[in-house]
């Protein structure tokens, strides 16, 4: 499973594993799954969906590396 760490600034909102995460990319939605290719992207305002959980962000950055997704939202 994909390790996910979601932060609002420095405040952790979610830490755990997920099968799928949908992110509000600046150019549209992005889906991240287990074993996703490495990437760094800017995020726009919207909803981060981690399996059945939802978190609202106003923008931020996301990074995938070695089966770990780190999202820093504002």
């Amino acid at each position: 499973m994909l390790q996910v760490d979601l932060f609002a600034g420095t405040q952790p909102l979610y830490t755990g594993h997920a099968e799928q995460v949908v992110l509000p990319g600046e150019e549209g939605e992005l889906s991240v799954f287990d074993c996703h290719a490495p990437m760094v992207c800017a995020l726009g305002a919207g909803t981060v969906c981690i399996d059945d959980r939802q978190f609202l962000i106003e923008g931020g950055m996301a990074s995938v590396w070695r089966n770990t997704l780190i999202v820093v939202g504002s």
Side-chain angles (χ1 to χ4, degrees):
M1 294 193 96
L2 179 68
Q3 172 64 39
V4 180
D5 297 306
L6 172 63
F7 299 89
T10 58
Q11 180 72 28
L13 296 179
Y14 177 86
T15 297
H17 291 92
E19 290 186 22
Q20 177 184 11
V21 178
V22 179
L23 302 168
E26 286 190 330
E27 301 294 322
E29 287 188 344
L30 301 162
S31 291
V32 180
F33 296 92
D34 190 34
C35 298
H36 196 283
M39 75 168 188
V40 174
C41 66
L43 302 175
T47 303
V48 175
C49 298
I50 303 171
D51 291 334
D52 61 346
R53 297 172 181 92
Q54 296 184 353
F55 303 88
L56 293 175
I57 63 170
E58 294 181 20
M61 297 291 294
S63 169
V64 179
W65 176 253
R66 295 191 177 187
N67 217 35
T68 298
L69 169 64
I70 299 172
V71 179
V72 179
S74 56

